[in-house]
Amino acid sequence: MLWDDETLYELTTRLIRLARDAGALSTLATALNFHSTILVQIGDLARAAGLVADVAAILIDAYAPQAAEPVLLKAAVHHAVEFPTWQSLIRRQGLQPEVAVTLLTRMIESTTPEPDAVKP
């Protein structure tokens, strides 16, 4: 498969902007994560690492109010956004990206109580 890095860079940049403008945190996290992959491909490792840290912070902020054990939430989020985790799920385990995202989301959500268990 051939990659058009410039086009992917532009598309992910637009998606990041749209997600931020809309306040769509899960879409923003996904867009930042994908954009960081593009940055790695073009050799901008410092910016890629910064985006991965942004993704982790966004996800932790989004899930923190429901987290029964914040330390588990942080560990799950950081594991989910690390590139080796993604690489393992896609390349080694053969998962489709959508399935990998679902799996990682469920892992993060497992650190928060069920909606019925949340006390007002």
Side-chain angles (χ1 to χ4, degrees):
M1 173 197 249
L2 296 176
W3 289 89
D4 180 351
D5 293 337
E6 187 175 319
T7 300
L8 288 173
Y9 182 90
E10 291 300 320
L11 288 173
T12 56
T13 300
R14 286 183 203 161
L15 182 57
I16 290 167
R17 185 173 54 254
L18 290 170
R20 278 193 175 128
D21 291 349
L25 293 180
S26 62
T27 301
L28 178 58
T30 301
L32 287 168
N33 205 18
F34 187 42
H35 192 67
S36 70
T37 303
I38 303 306
L39 291 172
V40 168
Q41 288 178 352
I42 63 173
D44 195 344
L45 302 179
R47 282 184 50 208
L51 287 181
V52 170
D54 289 347
V55 169
I58 289 167
L59 290 172
I60 289 168
D61 286 347
Y63 285 98
Q66 298 89 20
E69 296 185 53
V71 70
L72 292 180
L73 170 65
K74 288 180 182 179
V77 167
H78 285 286
H79 181 69
V81 300
E82 288 181 353
F83 183 71
T85 300
W86 183 257
Q87 184 180 32
S88 173
L89 292 174
I90 301 299
R91 292 186 181 165
R92 293 188 192 110
Q93 304 304 319
L95 298 181
Q96 294 297 315
E98 300 81 20
V99 176
V101 168
T102 299
L103 175 64
L104 295 172
T105 301
R106 287 182 182 163
M107 180 181 67
I108 293 168
E109 289 173 345
S110 74
T111 67
T112 62
E114 294 296 319
D116 295 333
V118 176
K119 297 178 183 170

